[in-house]
């Protein structure tokens, strides 16, 4: 479906929600489009590029109405390597603690990396002339979600501070080729370091506002609610609205549940810091966290990508649990247990990564 | 000593290192100068304001040599309410896991809040004309630390990104009165959201650089080292250099170890998010984290201050452990145990706050 590899783990076909298996992400700095996770809240729009326009309005001096050619001709092209990660990444670990009805049990594969090409959102906003009272930039798209309350097109917003940063793009290409339709053609937002939900696909409108977007996916969903909250009753005053990502990691090889020969075993994975932080260290343990081995980290293709890590553990025969945790550049480290992170919508599972192995 | 209240917990007299008891911080949005914690690495300088000058040099177009009058006349005055927190705050909790030789066992009182008055560092740097290659701003002071290797005046640096933010001040007043000598007179840096070590006191020189400061307290100390590292051997390539603070909290009332009547018991404390994040939620538990009560939060005097919190727990007679943890605006929450945070210099104890009570 949608040009994806055959071994994608498809959580839903409509809306299309699918992630690659761990092995497909392992050892690859960028994730090919056929492997990149796909998170959708409604049907995938089929926009005619010849008719498509981007409207820029709201708290701006000069509203804009831009064609694809306008975007390419009026603004400098930029490329940014960036990892996107769904706020529901690793939800499966929370769902093991307590059921999370109505939400897909994403594994660690709702995290993927590409080189994105387009124009800087900051340049487009400068052309429109942001008014001083603009504090948030709203993205709107035409994909109507029946899951929203009430049903509505997908949307969301980011702060002006973030919107003006050079890494935030309006992108028309992914790894040097035109965006596939399922990834947002003809134009999508790419907001590195923030939850994937803010990298809105099929962009048709950008509005400068004094307040965050009123869209359901900003004002109600994508919030860490207290454990005893009823998500059906939660509104804009409840919970922690998610924006910047928090440091996280997972193990990609061996696969969870694998049988491996005992003895020296290479363990690899990814870590992502999020926000404006970078990954500083990854620790791996085979004894429940009593002792840790520091993994070797690759450089990452930019400050906005994951860093792959690897280490070798000497595993005795028998059952083993391998744990990994990442530290960010501010010295924050992942908390231990998903038990204490459980929340009704199952977001932000930043607990230690764990896989079980049978060593023979 | 140094005009501090009599019940300060003095860790060292020379250099002077002292923190207020929990009760002295409780319920007060700002911390009076006689109560504010004091962290020093050398003797407290006695600078003659008439002779004092601030040099601004390095990667700037126009080096400056400023008198106190120059600072007041050439730049606009600004006030910022900000909490400072030592990177060693709550080290005592780490030292209970394993000894941390040579470092003071700070409790939760290495955290205090004041209204600071002065000029914006950004304005001074604009007057000097930062060159494009400037990436770090170094602060230098005359207090020679015999604890540094080799002995040297105290110093450190922050990134240019942070230095240009409006909340970063060169301050000459604290709560509307001239800075006390022990707090950095005639001029100190105030870097809200970053570890207190970067708010350098007794400032005499600001240098724009391409790289972080080479000063011992930037290049060697104030780093989260791996548990098995030898701090005496660690250098600039080791550990995670600390800058932005990570979300943390502690309990201020009742005091740790207190005897209290059983029944409804008010529990209060502070939480601080650090970096550019804010405190979003504080949870309190009397059953080891199996269930949590959300505390009420005050507003904080600015985005750069702590937020005091309070809740009432119904405590049965007997021994009780009260736990608190804070969430920040990105959805990050404090990790559970100091066991997994232990590091050789004892920095960044962000584990859940815990006090023990005897309920009668």
């Amino acid at each position: 479906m949608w040009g994806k590899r055959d071994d994608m783990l498809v959580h839903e076909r409509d809306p299309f929600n699918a992630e690659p298996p761990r092995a497909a992400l392992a050892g690859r700095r960028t994730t090919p489009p056929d492997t990149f996770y796909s998170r959708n809240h409604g049907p995938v729009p089929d926009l005619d590029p010849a008719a498509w326009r981007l409207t820029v309005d709201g708290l701006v001096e000069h509203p804009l109405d831009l064609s694809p050619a306008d975007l390419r001709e009026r603004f400098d092209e930029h490329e940014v390597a960036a990892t996107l990660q769904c706020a529901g990444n690793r939800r499966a670990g929370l769902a093991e603690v307590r059921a999370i009805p109505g939400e897909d049990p994403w594994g660690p594969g709702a995290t993927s990396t590409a080189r994105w090409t387009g124009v800087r959102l900051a340049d487009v906003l400068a052309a429109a002339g942001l008014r001083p009272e603009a504090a948030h930039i709203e993205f709107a798209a035409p994909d109507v979600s029946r899951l929203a309350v009430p049903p509505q097109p997908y949307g969301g917003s980011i702060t002006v501070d973030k919107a003006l940063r050079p890494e935030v793009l309006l992108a028309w290409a992914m790894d040097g080729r035109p965006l596939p339709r399922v990834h947002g053609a003809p134009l999508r937002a790419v907001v590195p370091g923030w939850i994937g939900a803010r990298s809105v696909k099929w962009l048709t409108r950008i509005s400068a506002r004094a307040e965050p977007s009123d869209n359901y996916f900003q004002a109600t969903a994508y919030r860490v609610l207290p454990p005893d909250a009823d998500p059906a009753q939660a509104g804009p005053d409840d919970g922690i609205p998610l924006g910047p990502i928090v440091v996280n990691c997972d193990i990609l090889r061996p696969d969870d549940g694998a049988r491996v020969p005992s003895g020296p075993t290479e363990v690899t994975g990814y870590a992502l810091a999020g926000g404006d932080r970078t990954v500083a260290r990854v620790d791996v343990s085979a004894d429940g966290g009593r002792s840790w081995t520091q993994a070797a980290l690759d450089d990452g293709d930019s400050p906005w990508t994951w860093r792959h890590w690897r280490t070798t553990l000497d595993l005795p025969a028998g059952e083993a649990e391998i744990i990994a945790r990442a530290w960010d550049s501010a010295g924050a480290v992942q908390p231990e247990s998903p038990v204490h992170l459980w929340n009704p919508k199952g977001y932000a599972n930043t607990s230690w990564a764990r896989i079980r192995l049978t060593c023979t």
Side-chain angles (χ1 to χ4, degrees), chain A residues 101-310:
Chain A
E103 300 290 340
D104 291 330
W106 295 93
T111 304
S112 301
T113 301
R115 290 177 295 108
W116 308 96
T117 309
V119 298
R120 287 184 177 153
L121 175 57
D123 291 347
V124 173
L125 294 175
L130 270 189
R131 292 197 201 155
E133 61 270 34
H136 299 267
I137 303 297
E138 177 177 53
F139 302 122
D143 50 323
V144 174
S145 174
R146 289 176 290 109
L147 307 169
V149 183
Q152 61 196 277
Y154 187 80
S157 60
I158 63 174
T159 60
V160 160
D161 272 1
K162 181 65 178 178
L164 296 181
R165 293 191 53 115
E167 70 271 14
V168 179
L169 296 186
L170 306 177
W172 56 70
M174 185 176 179
D175 294 331
R177 302 181 61 117
L179 270 185
R181 184 177 146 202
V182 75
H183 286 297
L187 194 76
R188 70 173 300 169
V190 174
V191 185
W194 284 43
I195 60 168
R198 308 307 177 215
S199 289
V200 176
K201 300 189 285 272
W202 312 292
L203 260 187
T204 54
R205 186 172 188 163
I206 295 172
S207 300
R209 299 165 52 93
E211 302 293 334
S213 171
D214 295 323
N215 187 280
Y216 172 81
F217 294 99
Q218 182 77 40
T220 301
Y222 289 111
R223 284 164 182 252
V224 173
L225 296 169
D228 55 354
D230 174 2
Q233 301 297 324
D237 295 330
D238 298 308
I240 305 170
L242 294 170
I245 292 169
V246 172
V247 64
N248 211 329
C249 79
D250 215 327
I251 298 164
L252 296 174
R253 277 193 181 131
D255 201 357
D256 187 25
R259 294 177 73 84
V260 299
S262 58
T265 304
E266 184 173 65
V267 181
T268 75
Y270 70 76
L272 180 67
D276 56 2
R277 301 182 184 177
T278 53
V279 173
R281 192 172 109 201
V282 172
D283 300 328
V284 185
S285 176
D287 60 6
R290 280 179 292 283
S291 67
W292 299 96
T293 300
Q294 258 187 266
L297 285 168
D298 79 12
D299 286 337
D301 282 345
S302 85
W304 308 107
T305 65
W306 57 18
R307 297 181 75 176
H308 284 283
W309 53 264
R310 67 183 58 234

Side-chain angles (χ1 to χ4, degrees), chain A residues 15-61:
Chain A
F16 181 60
N17 284 295
E19 66 180 302
R22 292 174 195 258
L25 295 176
R28 292 168 121 170
R29 285 165 173 259
T30 56
T31 315
D34 74 347
T35 305
F36 205 103
Y37 82 95
S38 190
R39 170 77 179 106
N40 297 291
H41 301 80
V44 173
D46 187 6
L47 303 181
D48 174 8
W52 177 89
R53 288 287 186 285
L54 177 68
T55 300
V56 183
D57 62 8
L59 298 171
V60 298
E61 301 294 344

